[in-house]
Amino acid sequence: MTTSPELIDRVRAAAEGTPYVVQERPYGFDLTIDIVDAKWWTLLRKNAVKRVFTHEVRLDEGRRRMVITDVANEVRWDAGVGPSARPSLHAEKSVQKGRVLEFSREKQWGADPASGEIGAVVDYTFRAGEGRALIREAAQPLGWSEGMGREQRIGLAAALFALGLVVVIAVIAGVILLVS
């Protein structure tokens, strides 16, 4: 029977040479990738974006069961002169947690604040499934199985409830049409 440290070591070895980093946690481990961390100037504005994606892996060593929860964090801001020639500041933060299905690509051009060179300051392609696949490929030969996390179970229950509600409304509407 394999132990949690063996699984963590195997994931760490699989992540070697990739942008992913494994961090041990009391509940198991995190597999994290810094997608982008950039600051740049455009003609009248200073811009910044930071995106971090983490797969939180909770381990139940006794059952050799793991739960993978995706956590996507993004912070963007820009400051400068707006369309009305007035100073403006815009900032946003987003967090998604559960099972995140994402494929994204972004390219931004601007001037690097440190060097002043103009070019692509943000240029990445990201697939959320790559990290999950890395974890699963390391866990499967060791006999670990995967379960659904709380966020996934809540999302599934909400979807089933909504589907049930649509069916009930459709049946009621059908009965009303038949009666009238």
Side-chain angles (χ1 to χ4, degrees):
M1 184 160 114
T2 59
T3 62
S4 297
E6 288 174 293
L7 174 59
I8 294 168
D9 288 344
R10 191 170 174 116
V11 172
R12 187 174 280 122
E16 198 169 303
T18 73
Y20 288 95
V21 175
V22 175
Q23 294 178 308
E24 290 188 47
R25 301 285 186 213
Y27 52 78
F29 66 93
D30 289 348
L31 181 68
T32 301
I33 181 171
D34 285 330
I35 300 169
V36 64
D37 186 1
K39 293 180 176 80
W40 70 97
W41 284 93
T42 54
L43 188 58
L44 299 173
R45 305 189 73 70
K46 185 170 184 182
N47 306 272
V49 62
K50 179 165 179 66
R51 290 194 67 203
V52 176
F53 198 96
T54 301
H55 301 283
E56 293 177 350
V57 185
R58 297 188 182 282
L59 301 176
D60 181 346
E61 189 171 305
R63 295 172 55 198
R64 284 195 301 176
R65 190 165 180 82
M66 63 182 181
V67 172
I68 303 171
T69 302
D70 302 334
V71 183
N73 282 288
E74 180 173 8
V75 177
R76 290 180 177 269
W77 65 263
D78 60 83
V81 178
S84 61
R86 293 187 181 146
S88 69
L89 172 66
H90 172 259
E92 63 184 67
K93 175 166 177 51
S94 69
V95 177
Q96 295 175 309
K97 190 170 183 177
R99 180 55 39 108
V100 178
L101 304 174
E102 177 184 343
F103 170 77
S104 57
R105 176 163 171 66
E106 183 174 357
K107 193 165 200 169
Q108 294 272 349
W109 293 81
D112 182 286
S115 67
E117 292 183 24
I118 296 176
V121 289
V122 175
D123 188 5
Y124 70 85
T125 302
F126 174 70
R127 292 173 185 80
E130 289 176 346
R132 280 191 304 277
L134 187 145
I135 295 164
R136 289 174 180 149
E137 288 169 9
Q140 187 179 22
L142 299 176
W144 286 77
S145 63
E146 184 177 354
M148 285 198 308
R150 179 177 49 117
E151 291 84 0
Q152 291 171 285
R153 289 192 307 270
I154 290 170
L156 182 59
L160 291 172
F161 176 78
L163 179 62
L165 192 59
V166 167
V167 168
V168 168
I169 291 170
V171 168
I172 292 171
V175 169
I176 291 171
L177 286 174
L178 287 174
V179 172
S180 57

